[in-house]
Amino acid sequence: MSFLEYRDTIQEGDTAIVFLGHDSMFPVKVQRGGQTQTKYGVIRHSSDLIGKKYGSKVTCSKGGWVYILHPTPELWTVNLPHRTQILYSTDISLITMMLELKPGSIVCESGTGSGSLSHAIIRTIAPTGHLYTVEFHQQRAEKAIEEFKEHKVDDLVTVKNQDVCENGFGITEIADAVFLDIPSPWEAVRHAKSALKLEGGRICSFSPCIEQVQRTCLALEEHGFTEINTLEILLRVYNVRTISLQIPDLGKAGEDKSGTEFDRGNQSNQDASCANLQQGTVQFKSGIPPREMVGHTGYLTFATKSPI
Ligand SMILES: C[S@@+](CC[C@H](N)C(=O)[O-])C[C@H]1O[C@@H](n2cnc3c(N)ncnc32)[C@H](O)[C@@H]1O
């Protein structure tokens, strides 16, 4: 199994996603003789997983069932073991587009963290691109190397265990794009500039606080970056509910309304709600946004290195 290519059947050594529902899933390393406990009972890897098709419904020992899914970067983001704060698909999608990433792109990233963004970048730049990712925390760098190997994407990524602010990305003038998710991105801007191609490229820095953004923008300007732009992307989830309302008794005045242009224009709605009308209530679906939400993740500052 590789995170880059879909394969039909589950094999030993795969990382599969056990899907119990949208709010409940987890990754499992498939091993001959291995067992995984779920709230629906045990899954036995040898008999229940190995050789079965991805997407299969698997019945657990207590009779309940789960789906076994092929991993993708999106599923990995919501299932990975957290070693740090991570980036989620909403920010990742904007980063991918605004950095103009595509198959063949050469990308620098720091820090690697839990590898959430790294997996998404690797999928986008495959099969001919390369990701150079820098992480100064030794165990995190080692764990990332191990996961990239397990997920068979290691030939597309180089992990360096060093301080990006001190030592940079370890490459010069070959990158198409640079991404920073570190506490002091302004200290790495000079290294980002030297990693980017002479013909130019794009940079993005993710910071939760506006003071970090201000310092980064100043550093970007100082190093000659142009088109400096800071965006914030907020995910607003609407709760869809079925609402029941009593039909008001409008008496004669209400009855007189039948046959008007208003009613003819809404004929299908009338037909649909006819049954409900007879019971004195009307039901409809309503999408309601939350009155308050914790939407902020961070600011995304983008800029361009122009050709020299
Ligand atoms: C918030 S996490 C990155 C999460 C990552 N974007 C993801 O989606 O999984 C920040 C990481 O940057 C690393 N880091 C912080 N400063 C660094 C530096 N100067 N050089 C290299 N890594 C650094 C930290 O150790 C941490 O693992």
Side-chain angles (χ1 to χ4, degrees), residues 84-103:
T84 60
Q85 294 267 32
I86 65 162
L87 288 171
Y88 289 91
S89 297
T90 316
D91 286 313
I92 291 174
S93 57
L94 189 68
I95 293 164
T96 308
M97 189 191 75
M98 296 291 277
L99 288 183
E100 298 167 14
L101 304 187
K102 54 183 184 298

Side-chain angles (χ1 to χ4, degrees), residues 259-270:
T260 62
E261 206 149 292
F262 171 83
D263 285 332
R264 278 195 294 280
N266 289 284
Q267 190 61 47
S268 57
N269 290 348
Q270 277 189 23

Side-chain angles (χ1 to χ4, degrees), residues 10-290:
I10 305 166
Q11 289 180 17
E12 187 173 17
D14 284 5
T15 300
I17 306 294
V18 179
F19 181 92
L20 293 86
H22 283 284
D23 296 331
S24 175
M25 47 183 146
F26 57 86
V28 69
K29 180 112 192 272
V30 180
Q31 284 162 330
R32 203 164 283 282
Q35 295 194 348
T36 299
Q37 294 290 340
T38 75
K39 63 179 174 184
Y40 302 128
V42 178
I43 301 171
R44 294 190 174 80
H45 295 199
S46 302
S47 52
D48 297 333
L49 299 184
I50 296 171
K52 296 271 161 52
K53 277 191 184 300
Y54 275 107
S56 298
K57 213 170 174 179
V58 166
T59 304
C60 309
S61 63
K62 288 190 203 160
W65 50 264
V66 297
Y67 285 111
I68 308 297
L69 304 182
H70 194 283
T72 63
E74 290 79 8
L75 284 173
W76 187 242
T77 286
V78 288
N79 283 290
L80 58 77
H82 280 226
R83 302 179 281 273
T84 60
Q85 294 267 32
I86 65 162
L87 288 171
Y88 289 91
S89 297
T90 316
D91 286 313
I92 291 174
S93 57
L94 189 68
I95 293 164
T96 308
M97 189 191 75
M98 296 291 277
L99 288 183
E100 298 167 14
L101 304 187
K102 54 183 184 298
S105 296
I106 307 291
V107 185
C108 293
E109 176 199 30
S110 186
T112 316
S114 307
S116 170
L117 178 68
S118 316
H119 279 83
I121 293 177
I122 292 167
R123 197 258 314 268
T124 304
I125 64 176
T128 48
H130 202 86
L131 173 67
Y132 295 88
T133 184
V134 177
E135 171 58 59
F136 71 2
H137 188 284
Q138 196 189 339
Q139 280 91 358
R140 285 181 202 150
E142 285 168 2
K143 191 68 194 153
I145 293 171
E146 191 186 313
E147 279 177 359
F148 294 141
K149 259 205 193 100
E150 262 179 38
H151 301 161
K152 300 204 172 57
V153 295
D154 51 314
D155 54 333
L156 291 164
V157 53
T158 304
V159 183
K160 278 193 191 300
N161 178 211
Q162 61 192 33
D163 184 337
V164 74
C165 300
E166 291 285 316
N167 310 109
F169 295 95
I171 58 159
T172 313
E173 294 167 3
I174 60 164
D176 296 290
V178 172
F179 178 81
L180 299 171
D181 181 2
I182 55 172
S184 51
W186 55 90
E187 291 177 10
V189 167
R190 65 194 168 102
H191 296 299
K193 188 179 179 184
S194 67
L196 286 166
K197 284 178 177 166
L198 288 177
E199 52 270 42
R202 294 278 286 161
I203 184 171
C204 174
S205 173
F206 175 94
S207 293
C209 305
I210 202 69
E211 292 80 2
Q212 293 168 301
V213 173
Q214 288 167 333
R215 293 187 74 169
T216 307
C217 287
L218 287 173
L220 287 167
E221 208 171 16
E222 198 182 302
H223 286 88
F225 282 86
T226 56
E227 298 181 302
I228 303 169
N229 241 306
T230 299
L231 305 176
E232 183 187 13
I233 183 161
L234 299 175
L235 185 66
R236 193 181 192 199
V237 179
Y238 278 65
N239 297 315
V240 177
R241 283 202 228 136
T242 304
I243 309 250
S244 280
L245 285 182
Q246 289 281 329
I247 308 247
D249 183 1
L250 300 175
K252 256 210 159 328
E255 280 166 31
D256 284 345
K257 275 198 174 160
S258 62
T260 62
E261 206 149 292
F262 171 83
D263 285 332
R264 278 195 294 280
N266 289 284
Q267 190 61 47
S268 57
N269 290 348
Q270 277 189 23
D271 292 347
S273 59
C274 213
N276 293 325
L277 275 171
Q278 281 159 10
Q279 291 155 21
T281 62
V282 66
Q283 288 198 334
F284 58 91
K285 294 274 184 207
S286 171
I288 303 170

Side-chain angles (χ1 to χ4, degrees), residues 234-237 289-296:
L234 299 175
L235 185 66
R236 193 181 192 199
V237 179
R291 243 184 282 166
E292 284 175 23
M293 62 181 216
V294 189
H296 179 72

